[in-house]
Every structure is written in structure tokens, then in C-alpha cells.
Amino acid sequence: MERTGAEQTRPQGQARQRISTLRWSVYVAMLLTAAAWGFILLDGDSGFGDLFRERTWQNAGRFVAGLAGAGTDGASSFAQPGRWLETGRLALNTLAMSVLAMGIAGGGALALLMPGARTVSDGTLGGSPSRAGRGVYAAVRVFYMLTRAIPELVWAMLIVFFLSPGILPGALALGIHNLGIVGRLTSEVVENLDPAPARALRAAGASGPKVLLYGVFPQALPMFLTFLLYRWEVVIRTTVVVGFLNAGGLGREFRLRMSWFHYDEVGLLLAWYLLLVVAVDVLSAQLRRRVRWE
């Protein structure tokens, strides 16, 4: 069956419209980039000129040398096994903070998995739609929005007021923020699932928990674990920043050593931090690969 002229010209017009939109987007991006660099170069308070001063690079060289342990009184922290053990315990606390945070985020996301999915409230997965279900769905989505809209540092500042300093305030701050992210992503995975298995279980008289266990989990769990592991890679990098607010781990010690100008200690803490990041990245990649294979 031959296509009419209007049907043939419609895709061509849509393609031209996409090309035109892309072209104008590139022009706007170039204009904004030029304006930003113009502001940096013309504004006298931008500090751009300091990059070309000899004193700036001399200070940077001394700082990097201090991180490596040069110019310290006595033996460098890198040459003291005791300091490696002490900072290693702080690294373990940081790792524990990240694991606890992801446990909080993952547990909350699983608990709100069904209420946060639109297909559950409107009956797409085999249930009966109700006003209460729609109300719970709206409340869960607002909760997701609020928890992920407030940064981890703000959560940590609020939580540390009523909890003593340690890894728990940092874990709660990171867990609450990532609950909104992981929960939203997982709920959208449930909304995009094939509803046939859940409907068949509903028609056979299965209860809500059984529908969740046999009709939803087998499809949604691989993506849920993938999201959780990916956020763990992000969280392990954020723990140090959250630790600045007396949340424990490497972050608090990092802030103290910077305040006391103990740059060799800062370098040692950075070394442990890099080891943590690399280890978590490798482990997360291996676990995500196993999840995809299975």
C-alpha cells in the first residue's frame, strides 16, 4: 500500500525540526560559553589572573609537597605504620557509614516499592483502584521529592543537632537523601513492568504480598540492585564531605588536619580515600555484572 504525500512529508518535517532544534541548541550553548568566559576575563574579581602568577604556582607546589610529606618535622606520616593503622580505622568507619546509608535507602525503597508506583494505585497490576491508594501514591511521591531535593549536607546539619557526632548522623543523612533517589527510580521500574504476571496472580486469588513476591520482585529486583550499587559508588565519595560536619570517618579528621596545617596527614587521609573509592567501584562493578548475568 503506497503512502500518501502527507504521510511521506510528515517524517521529513519532523526530522528537519529536530535538526533545527539541535542547531539552535548548539548556538545557545556557544553563546552562553562565550558569555561565561567573557565574564571571567573581564571581571577584575574573578581571580583568573592569579593562575598566571609565579607565587600561585609556588604555593601550589609547596602544598603538594606537603601532602607527600616533604618539609615536615620528624618522620612523615607515610613512614609511620601506626598512623596507617589509625587512619585505616577511620577508613573502615567511612565504609561502614556508606554501607549503613545504602541499607537505609534500600530498605526504605523496598518498603515503599508498591505504594510509590502509579500502576498499583490505578489498578494496572490487577488490584482495584481507590482514592486511598491514589492518596498514598501522591504522598510517597512528595516524600521522594523532598528527600532528594534537600542535599546530604543539609540533612547532616539538621541531624547532627540531636544526635551525637559519629557515623550514624552521616549514614542517616546519606540514607534519607538516597532513599528519594533509589525509591523514585525503583517505583518507575515497577510502573514499566509487564503487568501480566501480577494480573494472573490476582486473578488466581493471590494476596498482595504474594503478588509482590512472585509477580513484581522477579522483574524489578535486578534493576533495584543495579540502582542501589550505583548509588553506593556515589555515596562513598560523599561520605568525606558529610564527615566535615562531625559525622565521623575520614571527613572529620580531614577537616581537623587541614585546620592544623598537617598536610602530610591530609595526604595520608587522601590515600585511604582513594583506596576506598577504587575498592567500592571495582566491587560494585563486579556485583552489577553478576546481577545482569543472573
Side-chain angles (χ1 to χ4, degrees):
M1 183 176 179
E2 296 184 357
R3 300 172 60 184
T4 63
E7 293 175 341
Q8 293 176 352
T9 57
R10 189 179 299 116
Q12 297 176 359
Q14 293 175 351
R16 284 196 295 268
Q17 184 178 3
R18 285 195 296 268
I19 294 174
S20 178
T21 303
L22 180 61
R23 183 184 297 116
W24 279 106
S25 300
V26 172
Y27 292 158
V28 171
M30 293 174 61
L31 179 62
L32 292 176
T33 302
W37 276 104
F39 175 78
I40 292 174
L41 295 175
L42 297 177
D43 186 14
D45 296 330
S46 64
F48 185 74
D50 293 338
L51 291 175
F52 305 98
R53 294 179 181 176
E54 182 180 0
R55 181 179 178 182
T56 301
W57 292 102
Q58 290 176 350
N59 293 335
R62 284 194 295 268
F63 177 73
V64 173
L67 292 179
T72 57
D73 297 333
S76 171
S77 297
F78 288 95
Q80 301 179 30
R83 289 303 300 155
W84 278 95
L85 292 176
E86 292 177 13
T87 52
R89 283 191 285 268
L90 294 176
L92 286 177
N93 289 338
T94 300
L95 181 62
M97 184 193 304
S98 68
V99 173
L100 181 58
M102 297 319 299
I104 295 171
L110 284 178
L112 300 175
L113 180 67
M114 299 293 279
R118 186 185 65 256
T119 51
V120 176
S121 63
D122 62 11
T124 303
L125 289 181
S128 57
S130 63
R131 291 185 177 179
R134 288 191 290 268
V136 172
Y137 164 75
V140 171
R141 283 309 179 100
V142 171
F143 173 73
Y144 284 160
M145 180 182 66
L146 291 177
T147 52
R148 71 176 184 272
I150 300 176
E152 302 96 327
L153 280 176
V154 178
W155 281 118
M157 291 174 63
L158 296 174
I159 294 173
V160 80
F161 274 111
F162 56 87
L163 285 179
S164 58
I167 65 173
L168 182 58
L172 284 174
L174 293 167
I176 293 172
H177 177 75
N178 284 275
L179 170 57
I181 298 174
V182 177
R184 171 67 182 274
L185 292 173
T186 309
S187 295
E188 291 185 351
V189 168
V190 175
E191 292 177 355
N192 294 319
L193 292 180
D194 181 10
R199 288 178 178 176
L201 289 170
R202 290 283 190 185
S207 61
K210 289 183 179 179
V211 172
L212 175 65
L213 184 61
Y214 298 108
V216 175
F217 268 4
Q219 300 182 74
L221 197 58
M223 290 302 299
F224 166 74
L225 293 176
T226 299
F227 292 144
L228 201 65
L229 290 170
Y230 171 72
R231 289 305 304 176
W232 186 32
E233 296 179 14
V234 178
V235 163
I236 195 64
R237 292 166 170 81
T238 317
T239 50
V240 174
V241 181
V242 173
F244 287 171
L245 301 174
N246 287 331
L250 292 173
R252 180 171 59 179
E253 192 70 15
F254 186 89
R255 178 176 60 86
L256 292 175
R257 298 302 170 182
M258 283 291 292
S259 301
W260 297 336
F261 304 104
H262 295 171
Y263 295 133
D264 59 328
E265 296 278 350
V266 173
L268 185 58
L269 295 171
L270 286 176
W272 274 114
Y273 173 64
L274 291 176
L275 288 174
L276 275 183
V277 170
V278 172
V280 169
D281 280 1
V282 172
L283 180 60
S284 175
Q286 294 294 328
L287 292 175
R288 282 188 282 112
R289 190 176 295 112
R290 290 181 63 88
V291 168
R292 288 195 297 267
W293 285 349
E294 295 177 358

